[in-house]
Amino acid sequence: MDIPRLRRDFLRRVGHEPEKIFRAPGRVNLLGEHVDYNGGPVLPAAIDRAVYLAARSNKSTMLELYALDLDEETTIDLEILEAKQDSAGKPLPGWACYPAGVAWSLSNAGLQLSGMQAVYCSEVPIGAGLSSSAAVEMAFAVTWQAFGDWTLERMTLAKLCQQAENEYVGVASGLMDQFASAHGVAGSALYFDTRSLDWYPVPLPPDTVLIVADSGIRRSLTSSAYNERRASCEEAVAILKQQLPWIEMLADVNPEDFDNYQDHLPPEVSLRAQHVIGEIERVGSAVSALESGDCERFGMLMYAGHASLRDLYQVSTPELDMLVEIASRIPGCIGARLTGAGFGGCTINLVEEHQAQDFMYRLKAGYLEETGKETNIYLCQASQGAGQIEG
Ligand code: GLA
């Protein structure tokens, strides 16, 4: 990121230098997809593509926002957030609901927020499954924390950002994305038990890299399809609970019990639940594989995770399937799968470092040949979580 340029943009728009600059990363998820709202474990990693936010307190109740990538601006009165309007009474544009939502959930938690001028830009592509929205939310959360005289645990900040997304923006997402943006550790994936909220870093295999390939497909139906999948999981729990009264979430159902009772579920609901239960097992095996240095096994679990998202959870697309298939044939590819909610977006590939350039070249060329479409490919590092970087 060109921080001097962000400073210049701030000066041009605001007429002063920023006081502080913050960064909050996007994430990839290596395994454990659609598991976070079912109480299971996930294995994301924060990446070195992030949102950067330059800010200056304006000693008022106004939040003056400038989104550089969109070339848009708006002003919001922090005392009138519920109405989702700008300071002139017009409905808030969608992009502004993320910072406004964070302000809303922080103030509901009784925290003091200062008005500020905030200029921000993102290296995380929007709507690509790399959690650009969680990165924006976390960037604002750490900014308000730095300007306020309060400090919260990172997990609490992440939960308040999730609340902003669930209740203010209206997407029923789990906690994984905000967790990863808040807790990232350079060079490591993060094992996160979404029920107990325990977590620890799991170092990625040496001499490997993470490569993200963007299918370029964006689905506008993402939030409704996501909410539908979530509803199917809840339906599965409600039905299975008749036989297994102690269960609260799908993570409570062990695979043997599921085999015994899955016939009680409507066919589609059964497929969804089968994915979740298998995926929870895969995360456990994947962590053991990483800890014992069994890279090949880890890669096989990534491929199996993709097949399950494609066939059982049904959130893949032909383009994502094609990216995974092409990747699997390229030397040096250890594992590949779609990452994030699906319905378009990106794949994540674990690749031997010395083959990375060749892999990227071949994947791009293969995708163009098979689909006639371009793909953006990013070489990523697992990075540290959100925080202040200057000022
Ligand atoms: C989105 C949500 C996450 C998670 C993933 C799927 O990224 O924001 O909470 O559910 O989809 O694993």
Side-chain angles (χ1 to χ4, degrees):
M1 171 56 59
D2 186 349
I3 301 292
R5 174 151 180 222
L6 178 61
R7 286 186 165 277
R8 284 199 300 281
D9 280 324
F10 191 97
L11 185 59
R12 189 159 50 80
R13 287 178 192 249
V14 174
H16 292 281
E17 286 282 333
E19 283 173 62
K20 302 175 197 285
I21 299 183
F22 302 84
R23 165 192 175 278
R27 64 101 191 88
V28 290
N29 188 18
L30 295 171
L31 265 172
E33 215 66 89
H34 291 280
V35 158
D36 62 347
Y37 50 84
N38 288 300
V42 294
L43 195 63
I47 54 173
D48 56 345
R49 299 185 79 83
V51 166
Y52 291 82
L53 193 169
R56 182 182 181 91
S57 162
N58 61 12
K59 314 265 182 304
S60 78
T61 65
M62 294 296 169
L63 170 63
E64 298 167 50
L65 288 177
Y66 304 86
L68 291 179
D69 311 305
L70 306 172
D71 198 19
E72 299 248 15
E73 57 182 271
T74 191
T75 299
I76 301 168
D77 187 340
L78 293 172
E79 293 192 332
I80 319 175
L81 291 162
E82 199 72 48
K84 298 191 187 166
Q85 290 177 342
D86 67 13
S87 58
K90 289 206 245 90
L92 276 189
W95 62 270
C97 286
Y98 296 95
V102 173
W104 173 83
S105 64
L106 293 175
S107 18
N108 283 351
L111 301 161
Q112 199 60 41
L113 300 187
S114 62
M116 61 181 175
Q117 287 127 340
V119 176
Y120 65 104
C121 56
S122 177
E123 298 166 334
V124 189
I126 294 174
L130 302 177
S131 297
S132 58
S133 50
V136 170
E137 290 155 9
M138 276 311 301
F140 277 88
V142 293
T143 302
W144 269 307
Q145 172 166 265
F147 280 107
D149 54 1
W150 46 269
T151 308
L152 293 179
E153 301 232 321
R154 276 172 177 259
M155 195 66 81
T156 311
L157 274 186
K159 284 205 254 176
L160 288 168
C161 289
Q162 181 203 13
Q163 191 184 28
E165 179 129 1
N166 291 173
E167 293 173 31
Y168 200 87
V169 179
V171 181
S173 54
L175 183 57
M176 172 172 73
D177 305 347
Q178 293 82 5
F179 158 80
S181 185
H183 294 83
V185 174
S188 287
L190 311 167
Y191 174 87
F192 176 41
D193 179 331
T194 63
R195 164 108 73 178
S196 66
L197 306 186
D198 288 341
W199 72 277
Y200 56 88
V202 184
L204 287 166
D207 308 322
T208 63
V209 290
L210 297 174
I211 294 177
V212 168
D214 189 345
S215 70
I217 306 294
R218 304 285 183 268
R219 289 284 151 91
S220 55
L221 282 176
T222 300
S223 61
S224 57
Y226 181 92
N227 292 347
E228 260 170 48
R229 295 298 186 284
R230 201 174 165 149
S232 295
C233 294
E234 283 160 15
E235 188 180 341
V237 172
I239 297 171
L240 292 172
K241 210 175 165 62
Q242 292 161 16
Q243 320 298 326
L244 310 165
W246 58 89
I247 65 167
E248 298 295 334
M249 302 178 109
L250 278 178
D252 298 326
V253 181
N254 70 45
E256 297 75 44
D257 283 340
F258 183 70
D259 285 347
N260 289 338
Y261 299 117
Q262 65 170 310
D263 292 353
H264 294 244
L265 302 174
E268 197 178 86
V269 171
S270 173
L271 293 180
R272 307 298 183 246
Q274 197 184 332
H275 162 75
V276 173
I277 290 164
E279 186 79 350
I280 288 173
E281 285 205 293
R282 274 188 289 277
V283 175
S285 311
V287 171
S288 311
L290 283 181
E291 287 172 348
S292 63
D294 191 346
C295 218
E296 200 178 322
R297 172 144 178 74
F298 185 80
M300 294 322 292
L301 291 161
M302 287 177 77
Y303 287 124
H306 182 80
S308 176
L309 289 163
R310 180 190 63 209
D311 302 335
L312 303 177
Y313 219 64
Q314 297 175 327
V315 293
S316 189
T317 63
E319 292 82 2
L320 291 167
D321 296 342
M322 183 58 72
L323 280 170
V324 169
E325 197 196 310
I326 298 168
S328 70
R329 288 190 249 121
I330 303 176
C333 183
I334 300 163
R337 59 185 286 280
L338 75 81
T339 194
F343 317 106
C346 294
T347 60
I348 176 71
N349 304 269
L350 183 68
V351 179
E352 288 169 19
E353 192 169 16
H354 70 283
Q355 305 266 29
Q357 293 305 325
D358 186 54
F359 174 86
M360 292 195 286
Y361 174 79
R362 289 195 192 201
L363 186 57
K364 205 171 176 54
Y367 190 64
L368 184 62
E369 194 181 310
E370 296 284 350
T371 65
K373 294 181 187 130
E374 290 288 341
T375 170
N376 284 324
I377 300 194
Y378 313 109
L379 184 64
C380 293
Q381 309 279 349
S383 87
Q384 78 278 20
Q388 185 170 337
I389 54 168
E390 284 188 18

